Amino acid sequence: MNTQNPPHSRYQALKTNYSDNSVLVIDTTAGHGDLLDAAHQRLRAASDLLETLYCICFKQADVKDIPSIVNALYLLTQDGCDLLEVAKMQLTKSA
């Protein structure tokens, strides 16, 4: 996973990128509200998926689906956290 960003780069790579080429990035100059909305969307989706998993009967679940579910939860949660970090960085710069 790629976590490298040049100093003062406008675009910050998501930690969930799997190659050295940052395909998915966060525009660090995006509006604060837009960053928070995107973070909320991803974290809410992860939370909803976890709630669904909590409510289903695990006797019906297929073991081979677990890695896919964990991967989806990881991507959603990590991307949401990355977006929150950029939003937090914006606040500290403006203070």
Side-chain angles (χ1 to χ4, degrees):
M1 286 182 235
N2 182 14
T3 59
Q4 298 176 354
N5 293 302
H8 310 292
S9 174
R10 175 178 175 178
Y11 298 103
Q12 177 177 317
L14 291 170
K15 291 178 182 160
T16 55
N17 282 321
Y18 285 105
S19 71
D20 290 334
N21 297 319
S22 300
V23 177
L24 299 174
V25 296
I26 301 169
D27 182 353
T28 61
T29 64
H32 192 75
D34 293 334
L35 291 168
L36 291 176
D37 285 344
H40 181 261
Q41 179 186 35
R42 282 152 181 79
L43 294 171
R44 172 56 46 208
S47 176
D48 290 348
L49 180 54
L50 282 170
E51 185 174 344
T52 299
L53 292 172
Y54 177 75
C55 293
I56 66 168
C57 176
F58 284 100
K59 292 178 183 176
Q60 299 168 353
D62 192 336
V63 175
K64 69 179 182 182
D65 292 331
I66 293 174
S68 298
I69 293 167
V70 170
N71 187 48
L73 287 168
Y74 168 71
L75 289 172
L76 290 167
T77 305
Q78 186 59 58
D79 290 358
C81 289
D82 288 350
L83 286 157
L84 287 175
E85 283 298 316
V86 172
K88 183 179 175 181
M89 181 180 61
Q90 283 184 345
L91 282 179
T92 59
K93 284 183 178 180
S94 65

